[in-house]
Amino acid sequence: MIPANYGANYSPVIVQMAPKKTSWVIPCLGILVVFFSLFLPYISVLGFNLTGFETIELFLEGLSDNGDDGIIEDGMDEAPLLMIAVLMLTLGPIFYSLMALLSTFSMLFKSHPLLLGIIHTLYFGGFMLCSFLSAVDLGFLGSYSVHGDVTGIGFFVGGIAGILFCIKA
């Protein structure tokens, strides 16, 4: 049996769920940091600096060269980690730009760029590991390493910006 005034004082409760947060400020800041790092020196040798854009241009010019005149095959097997570190340094601005572009598309499609940030940071960590392990001691002349003597500040800024891709804020 239902009471006579059962629905008289009843007010329906409407529960609204908060919309899913899809704006990520910190990854966007990471993309801007990667972009601005391309204006900083990526390669710095004896006061001669190459920005990220110049490094990309130099690398692409090297790809378009069809001659074998510049390839030196002697001594390549003596320092493989050194060659890997130099290659990673040269490919750094291209890789960082690609990760920033993919992170932008990831956020446009409402997905967080966490995986891209991990890959970006692992690339930077791999470079640092290869560079540390390939340090050369030249006796009384001191030691030589890719991260200390060749790498410019732009590479480090762009590499550490990958950590910002991993933060969900």
Side-chain angles (χ1 to χ4, degrees):
M1 178 172 213
I2 299 176
N5 54 353
Y6 173 71
N9 293 332
Y10 176 73
S11 62
V13 177
I14 299 174
V15 178
Q16 289 183 335
M17 302 298 288
K20 185 178 176 183
K21 184 179 177 184
T22 57
S23 64
W24 298 291
V25 177
I26 303 296
C28 290
L29 183 65
I31 291 169
L32 289 175
V33 168
V34 168
F35 175 71
F36 287 121
S37 76
L38 294 175
F39 292 103
L40 297 173
Y42 266 68
I43 297 175
S44 178
V45 178
L46 300 173
F48 178 71
N49 297 324
L50 287 174
T51 64
F53 291 116
E54 292 170 342
T55 306
I56 292 171
E57 180 183 355
L58 185 68
F59 182 77
L60 294 177
E61 284 178 8
L63 284 179
S64 66
D65 185 22
N66 294 332
D68 295 328
D69 302 330
I71 297 177
I72 301 172
E73 294 185 9
D74 295 336
M76 288 277 221
D77 55 346
E78 295 176 7
L81 287 177
L82 181 66
M83 292 299 154
I84 291 172
V86 170
L87 181 67
M88 290 179 82
L89 175 64
T90 307
L91 291 175
I94 297 170
F95 183 80
Y96 293 164
S97 300
L98 180 67
M99 288 293 116
L101 185 67
L102 291 175
S103 295
T104 303
F105 286 130
S106 171
M107 288 190 290
L108 285 175
F109 291 115
K110 311 270 191 259
S111 174
H112 193 273
L114 177 67
L115 179 63
L116 296 169
I118 291 171
I119 293 169
H120 186 108
T121 308
L122 286 175
Y123 182 87
F124 180 69
F127 165 78
M128 292 302 290
L129 183 67
C130 287
S131 181
F132 279 131
L133 293 177
S134 68
V136 178
D137 186 18
L138 300 175
F140 66 91
L141 295 175
S143 64
Y144 171 80
S145 64
V146 177
H147 68 276
D149 299 319
V150 181
T151 308
I153 190 70
F155 186 85
F156 293 115
V157 170
I160 293 175
I163 296 171
L164 297 177
F165 295 157
C166 299
I167 300 173
K168 293 184 178 182

